[in-house]
Tab-separated table of all heavy atoms in Angstrom:
chain	number	residue	atom	x	y	z
I	806	MET	N	47.670	7.585	35.529
I	806	MET	CA	47.451	7.193	34.125
I	806	MET	C	45.978	6.853	33.868
I	806	MET	O	45.350	7.330	32.947
I	806	MET	CB	48.362	5.994	33.802
I	806	MET	CG	48.332	5.578	32.339
I	806	MET	SD	49.102	6.851	31.315
I	806	MET	CE	48.825	6.212	29.716
I	807	THR	N	45.405	6.039	34.781
I	807	THR	CA	43.987	5.655	34.648
I	807	THR	C	43.113	6.902	34.641
I	807	THR	O	42.220	7.067	33.839
I	807	THR	CB	43.566	4.763	35.833
I	807	THR	OG1	44.582	3.840	36.049
I	807	THR	CG2	42.233	4.099	35.563
I	808	TRP	N	43.480	7.819	35.604
I	808	TRP	CA	42.704	9.048	35.711
I	808	TRP	C	42.761	9.824	34.388
I	808	TRP	O	41.775	10.312	33.866
I	808	TRP	CB	43.278	9.876	36.872
I	808	TRP	CG	42.492	11.124	37.107
I	808	TRP	CD1	41.394	11.262	37.876
I	808	TRP	CD2	42.754	12.404	36.521
I	808	TRP	NE1	40.940	12.536	37.848
I	808	TRP	CE2	41.755	13.279	37.014
I	808	TRP	CE3	43.730	12.912	35.648
I	808	TRP	CZ2	41.705	14.618	36.658
I	808	TRP	CZ3	43.679	14.241	35.310
I	808	TRP	CH2	42.662	15.081	35.804
I	809	THR	N	43.985	9.846	33.764
I	809	THR	CA	44.181	10.620	32.537
I	809	THR	C	43.353	10.037	31.386
I	809	THR	O	42.677	10.761	30.670
I	809	THR	CB	45.666	10.621	32.119
I	809	THR	OG1	46.438	10.816	33.268
I	809	THR	CG2	45.954	11.698	31.115
I	810	VAL	N	43.388	8.659	31.282
I	810	VAL	CA	42.641	8.023	30.190
I	810	VAL	C	41.142	8.295	30.353
I	810	VAL	O	40.432	8.672	29.421
I	810	VAL	CB	42.914	6.491	30.163
I	810	VAL	CG1	41.933	5.805	29.212
I	810	VAL	CG2	44.335	6.241	29.721
I	811	SER	N	40.680	8.111	31.615
I	811	SER	CA	39.237	8.282	31.780
I	811	SER	C	38.828	9.730	31.584
I	811	SER	O	37.771	10.025	31.013
I	811	SER	CB	38.780	7.723	33.124
I	811	SER	OG	38.737	8.719	34.067
I	812	SER	N	39.695	10.667	32.019
I	812	SER	CA	39.305	12.076	31.803
I	812	SER	C	39.330	12.418	30.311
I	812	SER	O	38.493	13.165	29.814
I	812	SER	CB	40.193	13.029	32.599
I	812	SER	OG	41.462	13.062	32.033
I	813	LEU	N	40.289	11.784	29.598
I	813	LEU	CA	40.328	12.010	28.139
I	813	LEU	C	39.044	11.487	27.489
I	813	LEU	O	38.430	12.150	26.653
I	813	LEU	CB	41.549	11.268	27.566
I	813	LEU	CG	41.878	11.596	26.125
I	813	LEU	CD1	42.342	13.041	25.993
I	813	LEU	CD2	42.957	10.654	25.595
I	814	ALA	N	38.635	10.284	27.941
I	814	ALA	CA	37.406	9.696	27.379
I	814	ALA	C	36.212	10.599	27.647
I	814	ALA	O	35.387	10.843	26.765
I	814	ALA	CB	37.173	8.314	27.994
Side-chain angles (χ1 to χ4, degrees):
M806 186 68 184
T807 316
W808 183 87
T809 317
V810 169
S811 94
S812 71
L813 190 67

